Amino acid sequence: MEVLVYLVPLAITLGALGLAAFLWSLKNGQYDDLDGAAWRAIADDEPSDKSSSVL
Amino acid sequence: MQSTIDFSHYLKKAGSDLLHLDLAVEGINCAGCMAKIERNLSKIPDVTSARVNLTDRRLALEWKEGAVDPALFVDRLAELGYRAYPFEPAGAETREAERASALLRRLGVAAFAAMNVMMLSVPVWSGNDSDMLPEQRDFFHWLSALIVLPAAAYSAQPFFSSAYAALRARGVNMDVPISIGIILALAMSLFETATHADHAYFDAAIMLIAFLLAGRYLDQNMRRRTRAFAGNLAALKAETATKFINDDEIRTVPVAAIRPGDIVLLRPGERSAVDGSVISGRSEIDQSLITGETLPTTAVAGSAIYAGTLVRSGALRVRVSAASEGTLLSEISRLLESAVQSRSRYLRLAERASRLYAPAVHATALLTMIGWLIAGAGLHDSIVIAIAVLIITCPCALGLAIPAVQTVASGALFGSGVLLNSGDAIERIAEIDRVIFDKTGTLTLPELDVANAAAIPACVFELAGRLALSSRHPVAAAVARAAGAKAPLPGIEEEPGQGVYGVMDGLEVRLGRPSWCGADKSANEILQGDPEASVVAFRHGERHYVFAVRQRIRADAAKVISALHRTGLTVEMLSGDREPAVREAALALGIHRWRAEVTPVDKIERIEQIKRDGRKVLMVGDGLNDAPALAAAHASMSPVTATHMSQAVADAVFLGERLAPVEAAITVSRKALRLMRQNLWLAVIYNVLAVPIAIAGFVTPLIAAAAMSGSSLLVMLNALRARQHRETI
């Protein structure tokens, strides 16, 4: 059961990373336009890399 | 016209030398539009960012200060086929958006904590049955506590603060049992962990919080979305005013920038966006949007003008007044205040449910504890079992049952052209058994229309429509609109007070007063048959035609009203208009109960009278004179063309030229209310099944977790059935 010594911290770190990523994406405004985001993924060509800047 | 709007009021600084502008754009409805707009506007030099928000139908632009005139964006969008208006988020909308985002953050924290704790709980559940060492179990429980306690302290705050507020007001709401359940579950789990017991309920507590937050977020997001859409509608109405910046210089500015005391110019064909009094000028004005009266009156110096007034013949200079100066307006504000107060006493279904639920749950838990004590169990065991009862009965499904149905139903309503203003609108609209319609602007279309279009040859109609584009008179504008004219004729001049004229194919064309076009005889014939109509004559060489222009009843109104009759609703019409006009509309629509020339006070009295008979009224109206009645009724709807005040007090706003959304609102709401009740019953049945197990002391954390997710899933799936209506429309 020594495996717990590094598996548990690893699991908690991964969880914390996931939470941090979620909070970052929320702050970044990625949930402001869910309809648009769904379509952007399959758009033929993005207008330019400018559109990805933070609003 | 749009390009003359002064944008300075809307521009925001974004960084050192960047400017930011939000535009509400009409016509964005697909991904194609989004790509087209972004691609085109990004091409403009100096534009650093152009991003469309498809959910809110808005465009955010940023560009380097100085080089670009914001009007260019609006013009470019017009070339692409979109109408765009500068837009400023209202205070209410910003608050709703902030609340939604805060809830989502808490939901995220709770959900991540729940997932990670589950990872620790599953080994404990399976380990309890096999060979897990007590030390390992304790270690996992302490780890769970480490994750859950901070996460719960942060994410359950909305429930704690709401429960605290309710208790301070000596009341009980749904959040009181929720908060007590969460706190007791956490405290007990901590105690159990410290005493090396088998079971801890950290996972159940945090999962409960996550589910409940999901329900709250759905509710909040629905509200945020309607607010955003309502904000767009306000912007798309392009509320601008022509303001005198000195004695003879004028400028078009957004209404938001107008202050009391400013002087504005109202030209023929314009609708006033402000309240005020006339300083100079003389004009026929159409107050139908305010009073329901369709006959124009004359405004001279000293007359009061209200927002929504249509100026028909001459230009007026108006001094803008603070909102409540006029007699009509202050009277209406007073009526409105008392009506709104009476409505806030309405108790939502969820509140009524929780008033029954909270005492029942707490009594059951208490009785369980006492029962086990009497049966000889130890104090510790009795408390643990009582808390298990509280956890299992915590209204998880109840918290989701109503918001989930509301979200799905409001989506279906949105598809049918109905926007909800208030959260409990669905419940109240579903309960009504009588509908009262206003006539002008509600059963009829707010804009004038040509009544005798069939009697006029198509080519003449088209030519007259193109000629009419050169006139600002509302009657001529109606002809242009009815003809669908796009291209004005070249070289048209105006004869003041008479009409417009020009030359086409070597023949003179005229559109204006019948006497000026030599068409008095046929005009009089029309007026004798239809005294409510306004007439305008068109002359092409020697031939002449007369257009009868009047307010037209919404195309599907008769059908909708007979459908309402069929569903067993009583339909009534109350109008501020004169009797002949109301009688005719009632006859055409098959409405047997109607009254004409009613004042705002009369309308309220009528509604109160119906209320006393124990009936619930849906009031549908648009005018300023309807606003108090809208607030007094059990539920209310307004067309989107209604005055600000009416829209603000109405529970729902409907879009478009048809009346069908009113019927759809009633049908969808009734179905939604049925589903809400079903969901509450599902939650009750779940409790009836689960509580005996809990009372008997058999509930383990595993059973609690499974029961909680199972019941939540069930009510969510049931809520999705509210969606079906959309396909049948």
Side-chain angles (χ1 to χ4, degrees):
Chain A
M1 280 294 153
E2 294 73 31
V3 70
L4 285 181
V5 174
Y6 59 89
L7 268 189
V8 164
L10 188 68
I12 290 177
T13 314
L14 284 176
L17 274 180
L19 180 59
F22 169 76
L23 291 179
W24 169 80
S25 67
L26 180 63
K27 208 174 163 197
N28 202 12
Q30 301 205 11
Y31 299 91
D32 290 352
D33 179 20
L34 294 175
D35 293 358
W39 287 106
R40 268 173 219 281
I42 56 164
D44 289 337
D45 50 343
E46 281 282 292
S48 70
D49 59 336
K50 286 173 187 171
S51 61
S52 61
S53 65
V54 184
L55 293 181
Chain B
M1 280 307 290
Q2 296 156 16
S3 54
T4 58
I5 296 176
D6 184 358
F7 281 93
S8 53
H9 180 75
Y10 296 103
L11 296 182
K12 273 180 292 197
K13 281 265 185 195
S16 55
D17 58 345
L18 287 179
L19 284 175
H20 181 102
L21 176 67
D22 286 311
L23 292 171
V25 186
E26 204 172 9
I28 299 186
N29 42 31
C30 64
C33 308
M34 185 169 77
K36 191 162 89 180
I37 291 174
E38 289 186 352
R39 205 172 302 143
N40 266 285
L41 290 182
S42 304
K43 273 189 208 146
I44 299 175
D46 283 350
V47 170
T48 55
S49 150
R51 192 161 172 96
V52 171
N53 184 324
L54 192 60
T55 317
D56 297 341
R57 316 269 158 96
R58 286 178 188 162
L59 170 66
L61 284 161
E62 274 179 24
W63 68 95
K64 292 204 187 85
E65 201 171 347
V68 190
D69 177 11
L72 176 69
F73 302 129
V74 176
D75 292 345
R76 185 67 69 89
L77 283 166
E79 283 166 26
L80 292 174
Y82 304 97
R83 292 209 296 159
Y85 297 98
F87 152 83
E88 185 181 39
E93 191 196 326
T94 325
R95 273 198 302 280
E96 299 285 358
E98 272 166 17
R99 252 179 243 160
S101 144
L103 276 175
L104 190 57
R105 200 177 318 127
R106 292 183 203 278
L107 174 60
V109 170
F112 270 94
M115 283 186 247
N116 285 288
V117 167
M118 272 304 158
M119 214 162 56
L120 299 166
S121 294
V122 173
V124 174
W125 297 339
S126 51
N128 272 343
D129 289 332
S130 53
D131 56 349
M132 193 179 222
L133 299 173
E135 294 77 29
Q136 281 170 354
R137 190 188 55 222
D138 285 352
F139 174 59
F140 275 36
H141 278 166
W142 280 118
L143 270 179
S144 303
L146 186 74
I147 296 172
V148 168
L149 290 178
Y154 172 70
S155 55
Q157 271 169 27
F159 308 114
F160 295 157
S161 55
S162 152
Y164 180 65
L167 287 177
R168 264 184 58 159
R170 294 176 184 282
V172 175
N173 62 9
M174 191 77 103
D175 291 327
V176 174
I178 291 174
S179 302
I180 294 179
I182 291 171
I183 291 172
L184 283 179
L186 290 176
M188 179 195 78
S189 302
L190 208 56
F191 180 75
E192 294 285 281
T193 305
T195 53
H196 313 290
D198 283 353
H199 298 310
Y201 289 92
F202 291 116
D203 45 29
I206 195 74
M207 200 163 68
L208 176 74
I209 297 172
F211 274 128
L212 290 170
L213 281 170
R216 292 289 153 96
Y217 174 68
L218 285 179
D219 197 33
Q220 186 65 39
N221 204 33
M222 176 193 100
R223 243 178 286 168
R224 189 197 68 84
R225 241 185 123 143
T226 4
R227 284 261 179 245
F229 201 84
N232 284 4
L233 286 174
L236 295 179
K237 275 182 160 179
E239 300 255 296
T240 59
T242 313
K243 177 185 166 184
F244 282 91
I245 45 175
N246 54 42
D247 270 352
D248 24 49
E249 218 180 316
I250 54 173
R251 182 178 289 171
T252 308
V253 296
V255 171
I258 296 275
R259 300 278 166 264
D262 284 352
I263 295 170
V264 296
L265 177 68
L266 293 175
R267 286 171 291 202
E270 282 184 351
R271 240 181 230 288
S272 172
V274 297
D275 299 323
S277 56
V278 177
I279 304 174
S280 64
R282 184 187 173 85
S283 171
E284 280 194 334
I285 54 169
D286 175 352
Q287 302 252 42
S288 64
L289 198 55
I290 295 119
T291 57
E293 164 75 77
T294 45
L295 213 60
T297 53
T298 307
V300 292
S303 304
I305 295 278
Y306 303 104
T309 303
L310 181 67
V311 180
R312 289 178 64 135
S313 49
L316 296 173
R317 269 185 187 223
V318 172
R319 183 183 296 281
V320 180
S321 60
S324 57
E325 201 175 272
T327 48
L328 175 68
L329 208 58
S330 56
E331 166 79 356
I332 284 176
S333 308
R334 194 181 56 73
L335 289 172
L336 200 57
E337 215 164 285
S338 58
V340 167
Q341 273 172 5
S342 77
R343 181 197 279 180
S344 59
R345 285 185 219 123
Y346 179 79
L347 264 187
R348 295 177 65 162
L349 188 57
E351 289 162 29
R352 276 176 286 164
S354 67
R355 284 203 175 177
L356 293 174
Y357 192 80
V361 165
H362 291 150
T364 314
L366 193 68
L367 287 176
T368 307
M369 191 180 85
I370 295 171
W372 276 101
L373 280 175
I374 293 171
L379 184 64
H380 171 257
D381 285 349
S382 309
I383 291 178
V384 168
I385 292 172
I387 289 175
V389 170
L390 271 185
I391 292 174
I392 210 95
T393 53
C394 216
C396 184
L398 225 54
L400 272 174
I402 288 166
V405 176
Q406 260 175 357
T407 305
V408 177
S410 75
L413 283 174
F414 192 80
S416 333
V418 181
L419 292 172
L420 297 176
N421 255 348
S422 59
D424 50 0
I426 291 179
E427 292 171 33
R428 280 188 282 117
I429 292 175
E431 287 173 350
I432 57 112
D433 49 15
R434 190 173 280 236
V435 186
I436 296 183
F437 283 102
D438 168 49
K439 181 180 80 76
T440 317
T442 307
L443 289 173
T444 66
L445 287 167
E447 303 290 350
L448 299 169
D449 195 24
V450 176
N452 62 342
I456 290 163
C459 57
V460 174
F461 205 162
E462 194 204 325
L463 191 63
R466 292 178 63 192
L467 180 58
L469 282 176
S470 307
S471 168
R472 294 181 65 111
H473 196 281
V475 174
V479 172
R481 203 166 37 235
K486 292 254 170 356
L489 293 177
I492 302 301
E493 286 183 56
E494 183 162 4
E495 179 77 25
Q498 300 294 336
V500 285
Y501 65 98
V503 175
M504 181 76 194
D505 304 331
L507 291 174
E508 194 194 33
V509 284
R510 279 183 176 189
L511 183 84
R513 280 180 190 276
S515 57
W516 184 58
C517 299
D520 266 337
K521 197 162 150 279
S522 30
N524 283 335
E525 275 168 23
I526 288 179
L527 285 176
Q528 264 167 16
D530 184 3
E532 300 298 318
S534 303
V535 285
V536 59
F538 172 67
R539 179 165 155 175
H540 186 210
E542 288 309 308
R543 291 175 301 152
H544 52 70
Y545 303 88
V546 177
F547 292 87
V549 174
R550 58 173 301 152
Q551 283 198 316
R552 193 167 48 108
I553 291 174
R554 289 180 194 258
D556 62 344
K559 212 178 88 204
V560 169
I561 283 169
S562 71
L564 292 178
H565 277 307
R566 269 202 306 280
T567 48
L569 295 163
T570 315
V571 179
E572 215 176 298
M573 178 160 72
L574 295 179
S575 174
D577 206 357
R578 283 149 305 124
E579 194 182 323
V582 181
R583 181 198 303 278
E584 197 202 293
L587 217 65
L589 293 168
I591 298 177
H592 308 301
R593 298 160 186 251
W594 53 270
R595 276 169 66 192
E597 295 171 48
V598 285
T599 62
V601 182
D602 292 341
K603 285 194 182 186
I604 288 196
E605 260 171 26
R606 176 73 188 132
I607 286 174
E608 295 294 339
Q609 188 190 343
I610 297 174
K611 263 191 192 167
R612 278 196 294 277
D613 295 344
R615 298 186 176 279
K616 290 173 173 160
V617 183
L618 170 69
M619 172 81 204
V620 189
D622 74 322
L624 194 58
N625 62 332
D626 294 317
L630 289 171
H634 188 67
S636 51
M637 291 182 76
S638 274
V640 71
T641 47
T643 50
H644 279 300
M645 205 181 256
S646 307
Q647 272 190 42
V649 293
D651 293 313
V653 173
F654 66 94
L655 314 172
E657 295 207 333
R658 298 182 315 140
L659 199 63
V662 175
E663 190 199 344
I666 298 174
T667 328
V668 174
S669 301
R670 287 189 163 178
K671 181 163 188 185
L673 185 66
R674 214 163 48 235
L675 286 172
M676 286 179 197
R677 294 215 172 108
Q678 257 176 31
N679 268 353
L680 289 181
W681 279 114
L682 279 177
V684 168
I685 291 172
Y686 148 79
N687 275 326
V688 168
L689 293 179
V691 166
I693 305 177
I695 292 177
F698 294 135
V699 166
T700 61
L702 174 62
I703 293 178
M708 207 150 28
S709 343
S711 66
S712 299
L713 213 60
L714 198 64
V715 295
M716 283 296 265
L717 289 176
N718 194 37
L720 285 179
R721 301 201 302 142
R723 205 186 182 89
Q724 283 164 0
H725 185 80
R726 196 189 295 184
E727 284 106 54
T728 59
I729 281 180

